[in-house]
Amino acid sequence: DKYLNSENFLAEIQEEVEYGENRTEPKQILIDFVPKFLEKLSGLEKEKWAEIFAILSEGVEQKHILAYFKDQTMEKAALAGGFGGEIKKTEQDYLSVVHTNVKGSKSDAVTENSYILKSNLNSEGLDHALSIIRKHRGGKHDLGFYNRTNYDYVRVLVPAGSTLLDISGHSLVKFSPIADYDNGEFVTDADLAEYEKGASQIRPGVKAWREAGKTVFGFWLNVEPGKTEKVVLKYQTPVQIKNGDYSLLVQK
């Protein structure tokens, strides 16, 4: 049995998921925890609900809470409430940087992201120089899973038809599958297969494809504990400025 509270929750849950004895269902602890947590919530006095609602609202605003529902009524409510996680549509300029931690343990929790975007208008469109900076603050933490290398697959979503002009600072790595996916025990995901079918190698270590109406540049960015890495992408978008008006939608 584990005693969980607001002070030890994150550490205890991550310790169990990473190193616990149940390797078949390592996240079973969360399945067991949720009904107990909801039971506690339902028993709180009414005065506490305003505080809980404020916490949930902030989570939605900061994109810490996202949801997808198969029920279309619920899904429409999630989209209207701003926590559906869909790729936004816009006629103007667009940017979204998506980080995916792949076997980097829980090191995202101690890795800081910052971005710098410099833009220049020319006759063919807009030239952008995007810097992606990741600082890994792990390495000397009491919890071992914060001291691992952060393996990050980065996807940069930009307007459809954008062209990558140059890239520097990304990681050139070769990952081997952890399982034989052709042994008949796995089912191919149709959406993922469609993305992979349309992906092309445009630079060493960089792929491009179309997704959700956007052009995507994908690459690895690995950061060792205590280190800072920076990738700089230079790309051109076909967005035209009309009547001197320009807008950029940056989606978290």
Side-chain angles (χ1 to χ4, degrees):
D1 291 343
K2 287 184 178 292
Y3 175 76
L4 300 174
N5 58 33
S6 60
E7 300 297 326
N8 73 354
F9 179 81
L10 188 60
E12 289 289 339
I13 292 296
Q14 291 187 349
E15 184 78 22
E16 176 66 23
V17 171
E18 289 292 315
Y19 308 118
E21 295 180 358
N22 187 353
R23 304 321 301 156
T24 305
E25 294 289 345
K27 296 183 180 179
Q28 182 64 42
I29 186 173
L30 290 174
I31 298 174
D32 296 337
F33 168 75
V34 168
K36 297 180 184 296
F37 177 64
L38 293 178
E39 182 181 352
K40 285 285 187 180
L41 277 183
S42 63
L44 291 176
E45 56 270 22
K46 293 181 180 180
E47 291 74 17
K48 286 287 185 180
W49 279 100
E51 183 180 347
I52 293 171
F53 182 76
I55 293 171
L56 293 174
S57 296
E58 183 180 2
V60 169
E61 182 180 352
Q62 294 296 322
K63 306 302 179 187
H64 297 311
I65 298 176
L66 297 175
Y68 170 75
F69 298 94
K70 291 183 179 180
D71 181 282
Q72 288 303 301
T73 300
M74 293 293 291
E75 177 63 6
K76 287 180 180 178
L79 295 175
F83 59 96
E86 82 284 10
I87 301 300
K88 301 288 186 180
K89 295 180 180 179
T90 176
E91 297 297 323
Q92 296 299 312
D93 212 349
Y94 176 91
L95 175 64
S96 181
V97 181
V98 183
H99 298 281
T100 305
N101 183 334
V102 182
K103 292 194 70 63
S105 195
K106 306 303 180 193
S107 54
D108 270 359
V110 292
T111 302
E112 297 178 358
N113 300 311
S114 58
Y115 311 94
I116 301 171
L117 183 66
K118 298 180 179 180
S119 306
N120 180 55
L121 175 65
N122 57 49
S123 58
E124 298 181 5
L126 281 164
D127 285 349
H128 295 296
L130 171 66
S131 298
I132 302 172
I133 304 124
R134 283 173 67 81
K135 184 174 184 178
H136 194 327
R137 291 190 174 277
K140 298 180 180 179
H141 206 283
D142 292 339
L143 301 174
F145 39 73
Y146 289 154
N147 301 326
R148 307 282 184 85
T149 301
N150 185 276
Y151 298 104
D152 178 29
Y153 193 74
V154 185
R155 288 176 291 149
V156 179
L157 282 70
V158 292
S162 296
T163 305
L164 183 66
L165 304 175
D166 191 26
I167 185 171
S168 61
H170 63 296
S171 304
L172 299 176
V173 296
K174 291 183 179 180
F175 280 100
S176 300
I178 60 175
D180 178 11
Y181 295 112
D182 297 322
N183 64 5
E185 297 181 3
F186 296 88
V187 177
T188 299
D189 181 272
D191 292 330
L192 182 58
E194 188 66 24
Y195 294 147
E196 292 180 337
K197 184 175 68 175
S200 59
Q201 193 89 19
I202 59 172
R203 293 282 195 287
V206 184
K207 288 186 176 182
W209 66 92
R210 290 288 296 271
E211 179 180 340
K214 312 294 183 186
T215 289
V216 185
F217 305 128
F219 52 89
W220 289 98
L221 176 54
N222 302 338
V223 188
E224 299 290 336
K227 302 293 185 179
T228 299
E229 300 291 345
K230 180 173 77 170
V231 173
V232 179
L233 296 91
K234 295 180 180 179
Y235 63 96
Q236 185 177 82
T237 73
V239 173
Q240 299 294 323
I241 296 179
K242 299 178 181 179
N243 302 320
D245 294 330
Y246 171 74
S247 67
L248 169 68
L249 173 61
V250 180
Q251 184 175 359
K252 183 178 179 182

